[in-house]
Amino acid sequence: MRFQHQVAVVTGAGSGIGFETAKRLIAEGAKVILVGRNEEKLTAAANQLNTADTAAYPFSADVTKEEDISALLTYVKEKFGDLHILVNNAGGSVHSRIMETTAEQWDFVQDVNLKSVFLASKALGGYMAERSTVQRENRAIVNVASLSGHKAGAEIPHYSSAKAAVINFTKALAYEFAPNGIRVNSVSPGFIETPLTEPGLQNERFQEAIKRNTALKRVGKPEEIANIIAFAASHEASYMTGSDLLADGGWLIT
């Protein structure tokens, strides 16, 4: 029960890595606010995760909008009065080469993957810093980056750029929040089975390419990434900040 009596916010929590992360944090004692744009999906996710103590709380918000983040912060303050963990997991992409990418596509991918991390970290992380002066407990921010932030993809230049920026933003944020006792790390998943990746993973050639180029010869599962996020958020990683934890099944070493 590493997160007993702690409050966590997980963005992009309706499915995939975000859902499994919320599930893991709740299993270890945390009260978790599930954040996403789809209210129906969030409610369904919360219903799956709720226990007798009602530990999952859905909150509908577009994390690329400052006013929605402000509303989320107000909810956290009024409902819980504290915040210990922030997992910036929201993300998304489109497939297009550089010369085919429109400015609108570029902005969309940058906003959902990078701007959202900035807005949530500034508002919610700022609140965590305020609370740390009152009660110095385990406090951590975990940003979900990507293997693509280390190795650019041919048809995802906007996504690769945004995730590389997330890794570097994490380092800057770690330095800025260190005096407040808040650790900031990122996790870079490789190819993971989620609803967003399902269409691509159904392609047999793509599956074979993953098996051929990944040392572990398989796609990862969202709960495997949730385990790493939970570690980075816990007191067990108390001397780690500004780090990126690569979980790619050995893609980069092949």
Side-chain angles (χ1 to χ4, degrees):
M1 302 295 284
R2 292 179 293 182
F3 307 109
Q4 190 75 42
H5 307 305
Q6 294 190 15
V7 180
V9 166
V10 180
T11 70
S15 63
I17 293 171
F19 175 83
E20 292 296 334
T21 298
K23 182 178 179 180
R24 180 60 186 270
L25 297 178
I26 289 170
E28 295 200 44
K31 295 179 179 178
V32 180
I33 299 99
L34 314 178
V35 182
R37 289 181 294 181
N38 190 319
E39 186 173 358
E40 185 177 345
K41 182 187 288 188
L42 287 175
T43 301
N47 289 338
Q48 283 185 262
L49 296 173
N50 267 332
T51 66
D53 297 324
T54 313
Y57 304 82
F59 188 91
S60 179
D62 182 342
V63 290
T64 70
K65 295 181 178 178
E66 196 164 10
E67 59 269 27
D68 283 24
I69 293 293
S70 295
L72 172 60
L73 175 58
T74 298
Y75 174 75
V76 170
K77 286 181 175 180
E78 293 179 352
K79 180 76 174 178
F80 303 98
D82 209 342
L83 182 62
H84 304 86
I85 298 163
L86 169 62
V87 180
N88 286 309
N89 169 70
S93 188
V94 296
H95 281 78
S96 61
R97 293 180 179 273
I98 293 172
M99 298 308 294
E100 299 165 354
T101 301
T102 66
E104 290 76 16
Q105 288 175 319
W106 180 271
D107 289 344
F108 164 74
V109 177
Q110 296 296 318
D111 284 355
V112 73
N113 292 287
L114 179 59
K115 183 181 178 182
S116 65
V117 176
F118 160 68
L119 291 176
S121 297
K122 181 180 179 183
L124 298 173
Y127 178 56
M128 291 166 68
E130 291 176 16
R131 291 297 302 162
S132 71
T133 62
V134 178
Q135 201 168 12
R136 294 192 70 86
E137 299 177 307
N138 174 63
R139 297 184 192 273
I141 297 174
V142 184
N143 299 323
V144 179
S146 171
L147 166 65
S148 297
H150 295 263
K151 182 178 175 64
E155 294 187 3
I156 48 171
H158 26 49
Y159 183 75
S160 297
S161 300
K163 290 302 190 180
V166 167
I167 293 169
N168 280 290
F169 178 74
T170 296
K171 297 178 187 299
L173 196 63
Y175 184 78
E176 191 161 328
F177 274 153
N180 304 107
I182 301 171
R183 297 176 299 98
V184 189
N185 296 287
S186 58
V187 176
S188 288
F191 296 98
I192 309 298
E193 291 178 2
T194 71
L196 289 177
T197 61
E198 185 178 359
L201 293 175
Q202 288 178 343
N203 184 303
E204 290 186 11
R205 290 181 62 186
F206 186 45
Q207 287 186 32
E208 287 303 316
I210 292 174
K211 291 178 181 178
R212 184 172 60 251
N213 294 301
T214 304
L216 295 182
K217 304 301 179 187
R218 65 176 178 85
V219 176
K221 297 183 182 301
E223 54 266 34
E224 293 179 295
I225 305 304
N227 291 340
I228 298 169
I229 293 172
F231 164 72
S234 77
H235 59 81
E236 292 180 346
S238 59
Y239 198 56
M240 182 168 61
T241 195
S243 296
D244 179 69
L245 301 173
L246 181 64
D248 67 344
W251 179 278
L252 288 184
I253 64 173
T254 58

